[in-house]
């Protein structure tokens, strides 16, 4: 009753290209040895001001899901760590930046859970072991137009093992 990667993934040509945005780019061959599926145990996405959603078609996010499927197929529980961050630039869509960071965290958990279940992984086969929502980075100096100064602190980071 094992899931077979080749039975559950649609592999597009673009999914086979390594992406420079992740720290880990492992490749594993599916059971039929006909193509290579990109996997990674880490995913990070930075956000523009106020945004909270991960793009579910992001190649690195798909690679994270592929790695989760590998772990599940090995009969192991997927352990998930999520860190969400907002910068110190004030936003009007949330009453404070801690709520923005928390919203990023909750949306990431929801998307990840839904995507894992859609891949056939039971909810009892994964657990969130560490969750952090942070507000960090340089103090705001009325310079919101300096996006490069604040963007590194507006992110979601997910790691699985």
């Amino acid at each position: 009753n094992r899931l077979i990667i080749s039975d559950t993934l649609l592999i597009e040509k673009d999914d086979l290209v390594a992406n420079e945005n992740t720290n880990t780019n492992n490749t594993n061959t599916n059971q039929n040895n006909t193509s290579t599926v990109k996997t990674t145990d880490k995913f990070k996405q930075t956000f523009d001001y106020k945004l909270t959603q991960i793009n579910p078609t992001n190649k690195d996010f798909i690679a994270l899901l592929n790695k989760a499927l590998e772990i599940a197929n090995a009969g192991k529980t997927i352990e998930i760590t999520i860190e969400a961050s907002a910068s110190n630039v004030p936003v009007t869509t949330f009453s404070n930046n801690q709520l923005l960071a928390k919203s990023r965290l909750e949306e990431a958990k929801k998307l990840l859970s839904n995507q894992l279940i859609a891949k056939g992984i039971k909810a009892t086969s994964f657990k969130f072991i560490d969750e952090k929502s942070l507000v960090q980075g340089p103090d705001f100096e009325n310079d919101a137009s300096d996006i490069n100064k604040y963007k590194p602190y507006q992110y979601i980071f997910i790691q699985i093992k």
Side-chain angles (χ1 to χ4, degrees):
N1 203 9
R2 276 186 58 183
L3 295 172
I4 299 174
I5 291 174
S6 62
D7 290 342
T8 58
L9 296 176
L10 171 63
I11 301 170
E12 305 264 5
K13 181 180 175 188
D14 292 341
D15 290 339
L16 304 177
V17 178
N19 190 311
E20 299 171 355
N21 292 335
T22 58
N23 296 332
T24 308
N25 287 315
N26 302 321
T27 56
N28 297 307
T29 305
N30 74 14
Q31 304 221 347
N32 296 326
N33 270 347
T34 57
S35 63
T36 302
V37 177
K38 182 180 168 223
T39 66
T40 184
D41 61 350
K42 297 175 185 165
F43 169 77
K44 184 173 183 178
Q45 177 179 315
T46 56
F47 294 100
D48 290 332
Y49 297 134
K50 303 183 283 186
L51 300 181
T52 60
Q53 295 182 337
I54 295 171
N55 178 353
T57 62
N58 178 299
K59 290 178 184 80
D60 293 329
F61 185 71
I62 291 169
L64 182 82
L65 296 173
N66 292 342
K67 183 65 174 182
L69 191 56
E70 270 185 11
I71 294 168
N73 281 339
K76 299 177 183 173
T77 299
I78 303 160
E79 297 180 336
I80 305 165
T81 300
I82 299 182
E83 181 177 295
S85 178
S87 70
N88 285 302
V89 176
V91 294
T92 56
T93 51
F94 294 89
S95 59
N96 62 57
N97 287 27
Q98 185 61 47
L99 290 176
L100 171 58
K102 183 71 171 168
S103 179
R104 287 179 177 153
L105 174 75
E106 293 302 323
E107 288 199 31
K109 281 179 63 176
K110 181 179 176 182
L111 176 66
L112 185 57
S113 295
N114 289 340
Q115 292 293 314
L116 292 172
I117 291 167
K119 292 223 174 274
I121 299 172
K122 295 179 183 177
T124 56
S125 295
F126 59 90
K127 62 182 176 179
F128 295 91
I129 60 169
D130 192 17
E131 303 172 16
K132 294 178 186 164
S133 55
L134 310 167
V135 176
Q136 57 186 342
D139 290 337
F140 180 62
E141 298 174 352
N142 290 321
D143 58 348
S145 61
D146 191 357
I147 295 168
N148 292 333
K149 178 179 177 181
Y150 300 104
K151 191 165 186 170
Y153 305 97
Q154 301 170 166
Y155 65 84
I156 191 82
F157 176 74
I158 303 171
Q159 184 169 9
I160 62 172
K161 58 181 180 173

